[in-house]
Amino acid sequence: MGKLYDELLKDYRAKEGLKTCINCGTCTAICPAAEFYRYDPRKVMDIVQSRDEDEIEKLLKSDFIWYCGECMSCVTRCPRRNGPGLVIMALRNLSARLGYFTCSEKGRQLYPLTRILTGNILNYGYCVYPDTFKWEDHKESGPVWKWHLEHIEDTMARVGANFKGEGPGVLRKIPRESLDELKSIFDVTGGTERIETVEKFSRAKAGEMGMDMDDYFRETFEHASQGHLNSDGD
Amino acid sequence: MDFGFKISPSSAINLDNVDTVKFEQLHDMEPDVYKCMACGSCTSTCPANRFSGMSMRKVILALQRGKEKDVVSMMRNCMLCGKCTMVCPRGINTRHLILSICRIYREDGK
Amino acid sequence: MKENIVIIGGGIAGLEAAGQLLGLGYKPIIIEKSDRLGGHVADWNCLFPDMTPAKDVVGRLIAGATEANIFLNTEISFVNKLKDSYNIMLSNGISIITKIILVTTGFSVFDASKKEEYGYGVYDQVITNRDLEHWFNTGNDRRIDDCGMNAVGFVHCVGSRDEKAKNPQCSKVCCITAVKQAIELKQKFPETMVYCFYMDLRMFGKKYEDFYIGAQRDYGIRFIRGRVSEVSENIDGRVIVKAEDTLSGKPVKVTLDLLVLMAGMVCNPDSTKVANMISLPIDSDGFLKSRDNVADIIDSPKDGIFYAGACTGPKTVPETLAEARAAALKIHLYNKTMQ
Amino acid sequence: MIYQGKQKIWADYQKEIPDDHWFYVRSCIRQNFFPGAEKMFLEICRGLLKKDFYETEHHTTCGGIAYHCDTIPQETVMTIVARQFALMTEAGYENYVASCITSFGNYIEILETWKEFPELEAKIRELLWKACKREFNKPKYVAHASDLIYKYRNEIAARAKFRLVNRHTGEPLRAVEHIGCHYAKMFPSRSIGGAEYPYVLSGMIEAWGGNVIDYPERRHCCGYGFRQYHVKANRGYSISNTYKKFESMEPYHPDFILTNCPGCPYFMDRWQYVIAETEGKTYGENGYGIPVLTYEELASLVLGYDPWDIGLQLHQVAVEPLLDKLGIEYDPSAKYKGLNRKDIMRPELPGVLRCC
């Protein structure tokens, strides 16, 4: 592997997103993550454009790059046509590839995310799916969602959905052959490899932390330490 | 009901709510405090900066933003060596300024 | 009978050059599109760094140029290139044959409404540097409360240093203009809190840094290093400004009674029009291209055609006047070599 | 506020939207949380306006959420999207309409990236062939479904049974519009109205008789943040951002919120519930919340469809106060019934947020 900076610049999102930064702060000013986390996208851009390998490595191993919500509000405003949000995506991609993501608490969340989302895509053809969107994990979805899930055949039928049905329509069953196509897309485009990489490094990290994978899943999915939010420790 | 997370206060500095009474008091004693242009000469020469994060530039900024707690904790590390005064391009007597800051912001006995 | 010399544009560059040429014994012709002389400077109130009234400067320049042939309300309809001269057809039907043209078409103020996120033309309490000068001149602007205001902000680099606004250039004079206007506002409303949002403060000119120090020390104007990202309006019609306080690395917001946008200089479309008529090149910054940007800024690449002032890029008043004088001399020497 | 100033900006961002013949792709989130909205989109476009909208059961997620949660590489999401384009090509369509804003942003971003880096497009074509033996043409036109309801807004107004007017006071209803971030923030020129003052939803509200509120945090993200919601440990980010918006709009007393993104209505609806239960604070009148609607739901109400046929019972915030203002009659006892009034119980009532 070449230098981290060069690796990063192979990513099209870094090519698009990183021109020259003048540290003006328009990105941070309206960043929803900077509003609550100890986070400053301007600094991310500045570190990357410094080409300081040590600093970039630190960044890739830190919580810092995982605070962004990818709303891309920064892209609208940058006077130099940068996309800090795109650079973040490239950094995360590299951190995932190299296994650096397990070095930080927010980075380790890549494990539950990968399991939930790629699982939904490959099993159902949807990113979000009622069978895996449990009320217990999502109490904020409210009593109405609890009720909806408990009576989903009826509630879906009531509004004219085609829940798990053949043919087109709302929440239809995606045909087997289409799911197979998704799987082969994952296989040839590096999607499957990415899942395996995340799994491998997460397994190693779980071992290091003395957890089995279920505990590791719960821990990374639910636990938030002090110090991420700006208000922590004040 | 506990959902496992809660609303967090914004980290944005809201200038509408900054209490500048003490800063104005300081300004009366040290008119030059307004002259800082945040060049960082003081910080780069500060022997305490290396190990404690003391930064005169940041102190003056924090005063203007009403972040007194940050100021007090940074000031604890100052050794009053006066190097910052020697390098300030705007001729601010930072050593004198530091003593005045201590007087105003530490009156409550901290 | 001396050569015709055509000066395109009756702003301060055109007036000063005309005055000098008159002194050298020529009878220059000034073609001015609008109904008055003095250009943008005539709209201004006071000039940095000594707060000289703009009308005094413009008045002197006009007085010095009265002997010139001046066509107001006149545009150039078209230009024909003859063998070694130009035939200029004016909108008033007059045609002039000349071997010497001085382009002093100046600049345009960036249309601040193009920076949509700043809300000029959408939010009532957002004005421009030009609007504020107008108020200094006339005292007439319903957006400015004469009884005083709590807080006022200035935004530097509006439409300058901005690739999205298609103007990556620094407009040079806005930093000092913002400081000047902030001080003037503070003189009128000492109780008002005044903020300047800047990326860099480019205090390059004579006594500019003194101005900046004065603004800080004597007027307590607060300088916040961060480009304004977004402006919105709250329920009582005041504006909320968001930036990053980059020196502390945190988002910052403030509610203001008035926000002044420092709209920068962009190439005057009339310059481009003239350039097209006489096949003059445009430089990569969008302004007219000089023969050489170091040694021959007032020479166009074409013989007999000269520039002075902001048609080749943002300039201060003294720089413009110096170029106008240099152009007059250059024209004089050029005319001698022709004979 | 100078309305003409906004009109001037809107004039700069008008896109020519084809009138008919669309290849329709659905949204993962919306099918779960607002299943009635997508049904009503096709009902209005096909049934009422007699337009041609084609849907195939073979289309899948675009992968956008997984992509923005950083769980799949860029090549993967691009190839999934290329497959969707192949389905469109095979069905003989050129106009592509997405129900989801994340998808819409994803499609536009991918097409723009391919334009900039043609070698990447070539690579994706190869990968798609390798994986699925499919080929594709790029769509001639990509729209978001809200663009179409915007386009048809006057036709809908002409058939409307209700106007967005408070029947008790005769005043226009006050509406907050919330645009999904990926609709215009990345590529303002591909939107209606631009990134700063998007007109796509405002145009509907105006055409149907309501007043649009512009409040300070209007442009702020709803707080979804992808991984910031899907991981439980991060949800403080999500609710804090939504809370900020509600605090900002509160003084304007909006009658309802209109959204065009899949996530936003879910978050703005559900976080009101959580804010009520944890902070004791509600934003509507008399302990209710502010109803949050999708553009299809609002169009359906205006057109006179039954609120329970279009799925408004699946919102946590009660919509009844809005229905009352609009003068829409509804059967409270039918709200939580299944087909043919089958009894399927009803959701529990929250402790603080008033619901029906």
Side-chain angles (χ1 to χ4, degrees):
Chain A
M1 196 192 73
K3 286 183 171 175
L4 293 172
Y5 179 81
D6 298 333
E7 279 302 305
L8 200 60
L9 262 285
K10 285 182 191 159
D11 193 309
Y12 288 95
R13 290 163 293 191
K15 279 187 221 181
E16 271 294 90
L18 182 71
K19 280 117 189 180
T20 49
C21 166
I22 38 174
N23 274 288
C24 70
T26 41
C27 47
T28 304
I30 42 78
C31 173
E35 182 92 25
F36 300 102
Y37 283 130
R38 291 184 172 165
Y39 174 64
D40 187 343
R42 172 178 60 82
K43 287 188 184 154
V44 175
M45 295 296 279
D46 204 35
I47 289 169
V48 175
Q49 80 171 0
S50 77
R51 306 193 187 196
D52 182 327
E53 285 292 304
D54 292 343
E55 287 297 317
I56 293 175
E57 185 178 329
K58 256 193 245 166
L59 199 58
L60 291 169
K61 291 180 173 173
S62 71
D63 286 311
F64 217 61
I65 56 169
W66 303 100
Y67 290 141
C68 163
E70 298 189 12
C71 70
M72 303 293 165
S73 302
C74 48
V75 175
T76 322
R77 300 281 163 67
C78 176
R80 283 281 176 94
R81 293 182 180 277
N82 295 309
L86 291 169
V87 175
I88 285 284
M89 292 175 86
L91 284 162
R92 289 174 173 183
N93 190 55
L94 189 58
S95 181
R97 250 176 58 203
L98 301 176
Y100 290 176
F101 67 97
T102 59
C103 300
S104 68
E105 181 182 303
K106 296 288 179 193
R108 289 193 283 277
Q109 294 169 343
L110 200 51
Y111 176 66
L113 283 168
T114 302
R115 251 183 46 183
I116 297 167
L117 292 160
T118 61
N120 283 345
I121 293 179
L122 294 170
N123 295 329
Y124 306 106
Y126 297 89
C127 275
V128 178
Y129 198 65
D131 295 20
T132 59
F133 200 94
K134 302 248 184 287
W135 178 79
E136 290 72 21
D137 290 332
H138 295 273
K139 288 196 176 145
E140 70 284 351
S141 62
V144 76
W145 179 255
K146 188 164 181 261
W147 169 79
H148 181 40
L149 283 183
E150 284 163 359
H151 305 276
I152 192 146
E153 305 280 336
D154 289 308
T155 47
M156 283 294 183
R158 174 68 184 87
V159 297
N162 183 21
F163 185 50
K164 297 194 177 179
E166 305 289 331
V170 172
L171 275 185
R172 74 213 173 279
K173 184 176 156 216
I174 308 261
R176 186 70 252 168
E177 60 270 28
S178 299
L179 292 178
D180 291 342
E181 285 188 46
L182 282 180
K183 177 70 175 85
S184 42
I185 288 175
F186 268 63
D187 289 345
V188 304
T189 57
T192 308
E193 190 190 337
R194 171 59 49 81
I195 297 170
E196 287 162 3
T197 306
V198 168
E199 180 86 22
K200 181 182 88 186
F201 284 107
S202 300
R203 225 164 250 292
K205 188 69 193 181
E208 213 178 280
M209 291 166 77
M211 292 181 189
D212 67 28
M213 289 319 278
D214 283 342
D215 287 346
Y216 185 76
F217 183 98
R218 281 324 315 169
E219 169 74 14
T220 50
F221 183 71
E222 281 174 6
H223 178 70
S225 301
Q226 288 283 299
H228 296 293
L229 292 165
N230 188 59
S231 55
D232 289 343
D234 266 8
Chain B
M1 188 162 171
D2 180 21
F3 293 90
F5 45 87
K6 59 182 196 315
I7 296 168
S8 168
S10 167
S11 62
I13 298 164
N14 187 345
L15 293 174
D16 301 345
N17 304 333
V18 171
D19 179 3
T20 54
V21 174
K22 277 188 177 171
F23 186 62
E24 290 312 317
Q25 233 177 306
L26 178 70
H27 175 242
D28 289 342
M29 292 166 72
E30 302 279 346
D32 277 0
V33 68
Y34 274 6
K35 275 167 65 183
C36 172
M37 56 175 173
C39 70
S41 303
C42 47
T43 306
S44 66
T45 194
C46 176
N49 172 262
R50 303 291 151 79
F51 60 87
S52 75
M54 164 65 191
S55 162
M56 199 53 211
R57 166 182 83 72
K58 287 188 186 164
V59 164
I60 294 174
L61 189 73
L63 290 172
Q64 293 184 41
R65 304 290 182 259
K67 297 197 171 281
E68 291 179 21
K69 270 200 283 183
D70 298 3
V71 173
V72 172
S73 69
M74 271 195 277
M75 289 302 252
R76 288 212 178 93
N77 301 303
C78 173
M79 301 177 288
L80 286 174
C81 72
K83 279 177 94 176
C84 48
T85 307
M86 288 162 64
V87 297
C88 177
R90 281 287 177 86
I92 304 173
N93 187 338
T94 45
R95 193 170 182 279
H96 200 267
L97 175 62
I98 289 166
L99 292 170
S100 299
I101 292 171
C102 291
R103 210 164 300 142
I104 291 173
Y105 288 86
R106 281 182 160 182
E107 264 170 359
D108 42 6
K110 273 185 211 159
Chain C
M1 170 74 196
K2 285 200 168 175
E3 272 298 321
N4 271 335
I5 299 170
V6 172
I7 298 174
I8 307 175
I12 58 164
L15 291 172
E16 174 67 21
Q20 297 290 335
L21 287 166
L22 286 165
L24 291 163
Y26 298 90
K27 182 87 173 167
I29 301 161
I30 298 177
I31 300 160
E32 168 56 41
K33 186 183 178 184
S34 76
D35 60 357
R36 57 152 185 66
L37 296 167
H40 293 287
V41 180
D43 293 332
W44 237 239
N45 181 42
C46 285
L47 305 176
F48 49 79
D50 293 327
M51 305 308 264
T52 319
K55 68 173 188 327
D56 292 1
V57 173
V58 173
R60 270 202 308 274
L61 291 171
I62 293 175
T66 39
E67 294 301 311
N69 270 322
I70 299 172
F71 295 109
L72 294 178
N73 299 310
T74 306
E75 287 184 64
I76 295 175
S77 301
F78 57 84
V79 179
N80 287 331
K81 176 89 176 77
L82 309 174
K83 188 164 168 286
D84 55 356
S85 59
Y86 297 92
N87 180 14
I88 301 177
M89 180 54 101
L90 302 181
S91 57
N92 58 9
I94 294 172
S95 81
I96 307 164
I97 295 185
T98 181
K99 286 184 179 156
I100 300 170
I101 298 173
L102 175 61
V103 182
T104 56
T105 42
F107 64 94
S108 287
V109 178
F110 174 78
D111 174 6
S113 67
K114 285 191 184 148
K115 286 298 292 173
E116 295 165 21
E117 63 267 42
Y118 294 164
Y120 182 66
V122 174
Y123 301 133
D124 289 291
Q125 293 309 102
V126 181
I127 69 170
T128 64
N129 40 1
R130 186 155 60 175
D131 298 336
L132 187 60
E133 285 293 329
H134 180 76
W135 179 74
F136 287 146
N137 269 330
T138 64
N140 197 354
D141 193 319
R142 59 174 177 78
R143 297 169 292 192
I144 300 172
D145 186 349
D146 292 327
C147 305
M149 295 170 282
N150 253 327
V152 174
F154 287 83
V155 185
H156 294 224
C157 304
V158 174
S160 315
R161 304 181 71 192
D162 188 338
E163 294 186 23
K164 289 228 174 93
K166 299 192 175 59
N167 184 30
Q169 307 303 316
C170 168
S171 276
K172 202 172 180 176
V173 299
C174 329
C175 279
I176 179 67
T177 305
V179 173
K180 178 197 83 107
Q181 292 188 335
I183 290 174
E184 288 176 288
L185 210 69
K186 195 81 181 172
Q187 286 166 340
K188 289 187 198 298
F189 306 118
E191 298 306 314
T192 301
M193 186 62 109
V194 177
Y195 301 98
C196 285
F197 293 90
Y198 70 98
M199 291 199 285
D200 298 291
L201 284 169
R202 299 188 162 178
M203 294 295 159
F204 59 90
K206 186 176 167 69
K207 297 205 282 182
Y208 290 5
E209 188 74 9
D210 298 347
F211 238 75
Y212 171 32
I213 297 175
Q216 291 178 288
R217 184 194 51 211
D218 304 333
Y219 295 97
I221 291 159
R222 298 290 162 82
F223 290 86
I224 298 174
R225 195 200 169 277
R227 187 187 181 93
V228 168
S229 190
E230 177 177 298
V231 178
S232 50
E233 189 177 275
N234 75 4
I235 198 158
D236 58 23
R238 289 185 297 159
V239 288
I240 298 173
V241 168
K242 288 187 191 172
E244 182 193 356
D245 182 15
T246 59
L247 297 174
S248 60
K250 293 233 182 312
V252 62
K253 64 174 180 180
V254 62
T255 311
L256 303 170
D257 301 284
L258 187 72
L259 185 69
V260 188
L261 305 180
M262 305 311 294
M265 294 186 186
V266 292
C267 184
N268 186 346
D270 291 331
S271 302
T272 322
K273 220 165 96 186
V274 168
N276 285 337
M277 287 181 192
I278 39 186
S279 307
L280 294 170
I282 306 289
D283 213 340
S284 58
D285 62 356
F287 288 88
L288 300 187
K289 189 172 166 63
S290 298
R291 184 168 290 174
D292 183 288
N293 282 332
V294 176
D296 296 313
I297 194 94
I298 57 173
D299 292 81
S300 85
K302 282 196 151 46
D303 286 344
I305 298 180
F306 302 89
Y307 303 137
C311 61
T312 55
K315 305 248 160 64
T316 64
V317 171
E319 285 166 349
T320 299
L321 296 178
E323 280 190 5
R325 274 166 225 141
L329 181 61
K330 200 110 197 205
I331 286 167
H332 176 58
L333 296 173
Y334 177 77
N335 188 46
K336 277 172 88 175
T337 58
M338 280 200 310
Q339 282 155 5
Chain D
M1 194 86 58
I2 307 157
Y3 186 74
Q4 291 77 6
K6 285 190 183 178
Q7 283 178 313
K8 216 177 114 202
I9 292 169
W10 293 332
D12 291 341
Y13 296 96
Q14 287 300 322
K15 49 182 187 180
E16 205 47 57
I17 307 167
D19 188 58
D20 204 352
H21 305 299
W22 292 91
F23 183 83
Y24 181 63
V25 288
R26 292 181 181 275
S27 150
C28 301
I29 292 190
R30 304 180 90 219
Q31 293 177 79
N32 284 277
F33 296 100
F34 308 99
E38 288 194 351
K39 185 199 69 176
M40 289 315 299
F41 179 79
L42 291 180
E43 168 79 28
I44 292 170
C45 295
R46 282 177 181 159
L48 203 64
L49 303 172
K50 309 286 178 221
K51 310 282 182 189
D52 169 29
F53 281 74
Y54 177 79
E55 181 199 358
T56 164
E57 69 266 37
H58 291 286
H59 86 277
T60 64
T61 176
C62 73
I65 295 174
Y67 173 60
H68 283 293
C69 286
D70 313 286
T71 61
I72 57 176
Q74 196 177 26
E75 287 79 3
T76 308
V77 74
M78 283 185 167
T79 313
I80 297 175
V81 163
R83 180 179 172 275
Q84 310 271 73
F85 290 161
L87 295 173
M88 174 200 75
T89 309
E90 289 158 24
Y93 285 80
E94 292 179 319
N95 302 327
Y96 192 93
V97 57
S99 165
C100 170
I101 291 280
T102 304
S103 293
F104 174 73
N106 202 15
Y107 296 128
I108 300 285
E109 185 196 334
I110 288 172
L111 291 170
E112 291 291 323
T113 309
W114 288 349
K115 214 186 275 174
E116 191 117 331
F117 305 102
E119 75 278 10
L120 186 56
E121 182 186 334
K123 183 180 170 190
I124 299 300
R125 285 184 183 276
E126 252 173 62
L127 288 171
L128 181 68
W129 180 255
K130 221 165 133 187
C132 310
K133 300 280 172 294
R134 288 183 195 269
E135 289 177 300
F136 69 93
N137 296 332
K138 285 184 277 185
K140 254 199 184 141
Y141 199 91
V142 176
H144 181 251
S146 63
D147 292 337
L148 289 165
I149 297 293
Y150 167 84
K151 187 179 171 70
Y152 304 144
R153 69 195 186 284
N154 292 326
E155 290 175 61
I156 291 169
R159 295 158 197 254
K161 299 217 166 53
F162 300 95
R163 287 182 61 75
L164 301 177
V165 171
N166 188 325
R167 66 191 294 245
H168 306 298
T169 63
E171 294 289 318
L173 292 179
R174 293 176 304 266
V176 153
E177 42 96 39
H178 178 81
I179 305 287
C181 290
H182 292 192
Y183 175 69
K185 284 181 178 174
M186 292 186 283
F187 300 99
S189 66
R190 308 298 288 268
S191 71
I192 292 164
E196 305 298 343
Y197 312 93
Y199 190 57
V200 60
L201 295 179
S202 297
M204 294 180 205
I205 294 165
E206 288 178 358
W208 302 336
N211 266 355
V212 181
I213 290 167
D214 191 350
Y215 63 107
E217 297 296 348
R218 173 175 55 78
R219 301 157 172 130
H220 199 74
C221 169
C222 72
Y224 179 14
F226 299 100
R227 72 187 330 270
Q228 314 303 351
Y229 175 74
H230 285 290
V231 176
K232 187 174 175 183
N234 300 342
R235 285 177 200 155
Y237 164 108
S238 188
I239 191 171
S240 300
N241 278 297
T242 313
Y243 177 69
K244 175 175 145 156
K245 286 185 76 77
F246 277 102
E247 288 293 300
S248 175
M249 72 175 80
E250 186 185 18
Y252 298 82
H253 305 293
D255 294 306
F256 68 96
I257 298 168
L258 185 63
T259 61
N260 72 342
C261 185
C264 312
Y266 171 74
F267 293 107
M268 295 180 93
D269 183 75
R270 298 313 207 269
W271 291 134
Q272 282 194 75
Y273 154 69
V274 178
I275 292 167
E277 302 311 303
T278 55
E279 308 285 314
K281 179 150 191 189
T282 50
Y283 293 93
E285 289 146 24
N286 309 317
Y288 287 104
I290 306 170
V292 188
L293 299 178
T294 70
Y295 50 94
E296 298 106 323
E297 288 169 345
L298 185 67
S300 305
L301 285 181
V302 161
L303 287 166
Y305 287 92
D306 181 274
W308 317 140
D309 285 351
I310 65 175
L312 297 188
Q313 63 275 30
L314 294 175
H315 293 227
Q316 186 61 58
V317 172
V319 293
E320 282 84 343
L322 175 66
L323 301 180
D324 292 339
K325 286 177 196 165
L326 284 166
I328 293 176
E329 283 183 24
Y330 55 92
D331 177 0
S333 70
K335 182 172 182 182
Y336 296 110
K337 292 284 189 277
L339 277 180
N340 307 317
R341 294 187 74 91
K342 180 180 171 189
D343 184 9
I344 49 171
M345 327 254 277
R346 54 158 297 147
E348 287 165 41
L349 285 171
V352 178
L353 183 70
R354 193 163 162 202
C355 293
C356 300

